[in-house]
Amino acid sequence: MGDFLRDTVGEAVAEVVLNLLACLLLGCLVLIAYLSWSLSPRLTIAGAGLLSCLLAHGAWKTFRTPAKGRRRGLAAVTAAGFTGAAATALFLLLYTPGCDCL
């Protein structure tokens, strides 16, 4: 009985911590977007377009049939960026609906 109670409390605490981290990350992303837009809307649009192109290139390199050898240079950077962005989006999708910040 003690192990079950300890596991249940541990899971509840972990869930709360993950929800708080997701809300904090979402708030930071919104703050970055707001500050960027308030400084220069044109540069914000240009930066978003450039970031979209880099993420699209990373997705293309990640999901296409791999060539022999390792990825090098820009291909490795964009694939890692796409993987990080996808992981962040998945984390936000899973944990931000649980917080009351939306």
Side-chain angles (χ1 to χ4, degrees), residues 42-102:
R42 288 181 182 165
L43 284 178
T44 303
I45 299 289
L50 180 63
L51 183 63
S52 297
C53 288
L54 289 174
L55 290 177
H57 183 262
W60 179 66
K61 288 292 186 181
T62 300
F63 291 121
R64 72 180 186 107
T65 306
K68 293 189 182 214
R70 295 185 341 182
R71 291 187 183 105
R72 298 188 190 275
L74 181 65
V77 170
T78 58
F82 171 73
T83 304
T88 302
L90 182 63
F91 176 72
L92 289 175
L93 277 173
L94 290 176
Y95 290 105
T96 50
C99 71
D100 294 329
C101 60
L102 297 178

Side-chain angles (χ1 to χ4, degrees), residues 2-18:
D3 289 337
F4 173 73
L5 186 60
R6 189 175 346 168
D7 288 343
T8 304
V9 170
E11 287 179 16
V13 168
E15 191 75 23
V16 167
V17 168
L18 287 173

Side-chain angles (χ1 to χ4, degrees), residues 17-60:
V17 168
L18 287 173
N19 282 338
L20 287 174
L21 284 174
C23 285
L24 182 66
L25 178 63
L26 184 63
C28 287
L29 290 174
V30 168
L31 179 66
I32 288 169
Y34 172 75
L35 291 176
S36 175
W37 186 264
S38 68
L39 288 175
S40 174
R42 288 181 182 165
L43 284 178
T44 303
I45 299 289
L50 180 63
L51 183 63
S52 297
C53 288
L54 289 174
L55 290 177
H57 183 262
W60 179 66

